[in-house]
Amino acid sequence: MDERAYSRVLDVHRISEYPEVQRVIHHLLTSLKESSFLGKSPKKKILKHLKVVVLHLYIAYSSDPLTYVAYPRGKDKYSKDSRLGRLFISYRPMMRVIDGLEGLGYLETHKGFQDLSTGKSRLSRMRATQSLIDLIEDHSVT
């Protein structure tokens, strides 16, 4: 069995205002900015998407370190009529956050696919690297 099949869908309802979490998010935001991964995306949108991704990755890791988090890379999955769009999750900030965290070594990602001949498809997958877990735990997030 492909280990990437062991996954759960990204939950965008994770939120935390704890100071420890805020420090981790601020550290990551600074790193993403300094590495030029954010482009011209508004800071407020990036922060929201960064929190969603990081919190869900940490919770998935905490329940089982082998779990992947499934997420769509198709722009249409973030339209205003989609589940993510209705929750104000946008395509460009989400991709910048995910690609940036991967570029910094905080995520392991696997692109999804759609095989038109067989009809099989799979959402993209991501999983926190030990670097991200260490950063979170070094900031005393529980």
Side-chain angles (χ1 to χ4, degrees):
M1 179 172 134
D2 184 356
E3 69 175 4
R4 292 169 292 183
Y6 186 57
S7 66
R8 56 187 183 184
V9 178
L10 179 68
D11 181 357
V12 298
H13 297 289
R14 305 277 185 207
I15 192 73
S16 175
E17 298 300 328
Y18 282 101
E20 299 86 356
V21 172
Q22 298 304 322
R23 284 193 292 275
V24 170
I25 298 302
H26 178 73
H27 174 85
L28 291 170
L29 179 65
T30 302
S31 297
L32 288 167
K33 277 184 186 176
E34 289 173 354
S35 300
S36 302
F37 283 113
L38 300 182
K40 296 179 182 179
S41 293
K43 179 181 176 182
K44 188 174 179 179
K45 279 190 175 187
I46 291 294
L47 278 172
K48 176 182 179 178
H49 291 73
L50 187 57
K51 281 183 190 179
V52 164
V53 170
V54 171
L55 287 172
H56 193 85
L57 285 169
Y58 184 61
I59 289 166
Y61 175 87
S62 296
S63 65
D64 185 344
L66 300 177
T67 303
Y68 281 92
V69 175
Y71 69 98
R73 286 195 73 91
K75 205 172 199 173
D76 61 319
K77 302 299 183 192
Y78 296 87
S79 70
K80 290 182 181 181
D81 296 327
S82 70
R83 177 182 76 92
L84 294 170
R86 286 191 302 270
L87 296 168
F88 305 104
I89 301 298
S90 305
Y91 173 76
R92 188 169 308 277
M94 182 63 86
M95 294 307 109
R96 288 203 169 149
V97 164
I98 291 171
D99 293 344
L101 289 173
E102 179 186 25
L104 293 172
Y106 290 120
L107 305 178
E108 168 192 344
T109 63
H110 300 276
K111 299 272 170 84
F113 66 88
Q114 182 173 14
D115 186 342
L116 297 176
S117 64
T118 64
K120 291 185 179 184
S121 64
R122 175 172 288 154
L123 290 173
S124 295
R125 304 285 200 260
M126 64 181 158
R127 181 166 60 183
T129 63
Q130 194 59 49
S131 297
L132 180 59
I133 299 306
D134 290 345
L135 175 71
I136 292 169
E137 291 177 350
D138 288 348
H139 282 83
S140 303
V141 175
T142 58

